[in-house]
Amino acid sequence: MEFRHLGRSGLLVSEISYGNWITHGSQIEEEAALSCVRAALDVGITTFDTADVYAGTKAEAVLGRALKGERREGLEILTKVFWPTGPGRNDRGLSRKHIMESINGSLHRLQTDYVDVYQAHRYDYATPLEETMEAFADVVHSGKAHYIGVSEWKASEIRAAHALARELKIQLVSNQPQYSMLWRVIEAEVVPTSEELGVGQIVFSPIGQGVLTGKYLPGQEPPAGSRATDTSGGAGFIARFMSDEVLTRVQQLKPLAEQAGLSMAQLAVAWVLQNRNVSSAIIGASRPEQVHDNVKAAGVKLDAELLKAIDEILDPITERDPAKTQSPAKRP
């Protein structure tokens, strides 16, 4: 495993991190989830990402049980706050009330005294940014988190939060956006701003929800048991990539992967790691062998000709519009 600093902070994270969005507590049985976490630990992954909302808080609990007994100082545990975790009007968002209650719930479920990075899962347009950042500062100063981060924030929002974080003497070190060969919306604005401020990207969906593995074929039904057939939520997230045009072009990447001596998944993960502002790429898994395959992308250097060939194949279908950064509906 290779390691990188998270932005310009002193915190080192594994180039490949393990995330349990969609899978733990919902899509796969707990024993399978525990096997995947054990596989991640076995291959040297030390960075684990989750969120309170995943599987209605169950994903955090599964991860807590999976990591129990591991040396806490040797792990980097990240979680998030924003989306609803209960029926109440204040069980969501980035108000002081929700942040302070949510960090306590997350720590209980994760069976730890602190998280390494506590992340704002989306920007809250209904709460003053000053209130949010002051609450995060209290979380850090109380020892319940070491650093703070954000997820899917626009460049201007990251800049404003970073300025407040400096005033409050805490470190905003990361942004967690979607990023892959097919989804490059962070490159125009978020990445340059983050490089300037010393914020690193911990990217999710580097394999395009599985599309970049090449297992989905144009004109054919998705394989049984794949994410595209998951009615509990996975199919909705992958739908944007399931057109025949996208799938046809993805198939054209296979010879490039073979020439590089990589699987399609390894090529996809290695590609996001070529971006110097990416600190870590999050992988998910429903089987341990997926972890063993994906982790081989760590430390891989792709040459300029290969990167150019990838661009030529995918350029017509690649999304680059920075306005496509995910924003939540405004909360009343």
Side-chain angles (χ1 to χ4, degrees), residues 237-257:
F237 293 111
I238 199 175
R240 65 161 66 101
F241 299 133
M242 291 298 290
S243 72
D244 280 355
E245 181 184 14
V246 170
L247 299 181
T248 296
R249 289 188 175 273
V250 167
Q251 291 301 309
Q252 295 172 27
L253 298 174
K254 283 188 173 180
L256 301 182

Side-chain angles (χ1 to χ4, degrees), residues 97-117:
K97 176 177 172 63
H98 187 52
I99 288 173
M100 300 310 256
E101 292 170 350
S102 292
I103 185 63
N104 290 333
S106 289
L107 296 180
H108 175 74
R109 289 185 290 271
L110 289 165
Q111 301 185 49
T112 184
D113 295 328
Y114 67 93
V115 292
D116 295 276
V117 187

Side-chain angles (χ1 to χ4, degrees), residues 177-207:
Q178 180 180 179
Y179 186 50
S180 71
M181 296 178 190
L182 298 173
W183 194 263
R184 299 173 63 170
V185 303
I186 63 172
E187 292 180 345
E189 297 176 4
V190 166
V191 166
T193 297
S194 296
E195 287 181 328
E196 175 193 341
L197 300 175
V199 172
Q201 311 300 315
I202 303 176
V203 304
F204 70 86
S205 296
I207 310 175

